[in-house]
Amino acid sequence: MALAIVLALSEWDRMYAWIEYSYVILSVQNAQASERQSWTLDENHQFPAETIKLIKLANLS
């Protein structure tokens, strides 16, 4: 049975967050990153979601 994952920030996060910072929550299941979400605090003290853009880094080894 699959569990529903809800990624969310708490009221505590809202009270202590700083504007212009990104707040990321990452769900890890079976040692693998699965769900991810990012938010930023706006001037109205709300957390609009941000798009997370994944980039592939060059293999430096």
Side-chain angles (χ1 to χ4, degrees):
M1 169 172 48
L3 296 175
I5 299 171
V6 178
L7 302 176
L9 295 164
S10 69
E11 191 58 33
W12 189 94
D13 296 319
R14 183 184 319 276
M15 289 179 5
Y16 295 100
W18 293 0
I19 292 176
E20 298 182 14
Y21 280 70
S22 292
Y23 295 88
V24 179
I25 295 180
L26 176 68
S27 172
V28 177
Q29 296 181 359
N30 299 320
Q32 295 291 318
S34 59
E35 305 279 333
R36 62 192 170 278
Q37 182 62 58
S38 180
W39 297 267
T40 186
L41 185 67
D42 67 16
E43 300 81 25
N44 298 318
H45 233 62
Q46 299 301 309
F47 278 114
E50 296 182 300
T51 300
I52 297 176
K53 184 175 181 181
L54 300 178
I55 58 172
K56 184 173 181 162
L57 299 176
N59 187 352
L60 301 177
S61 56

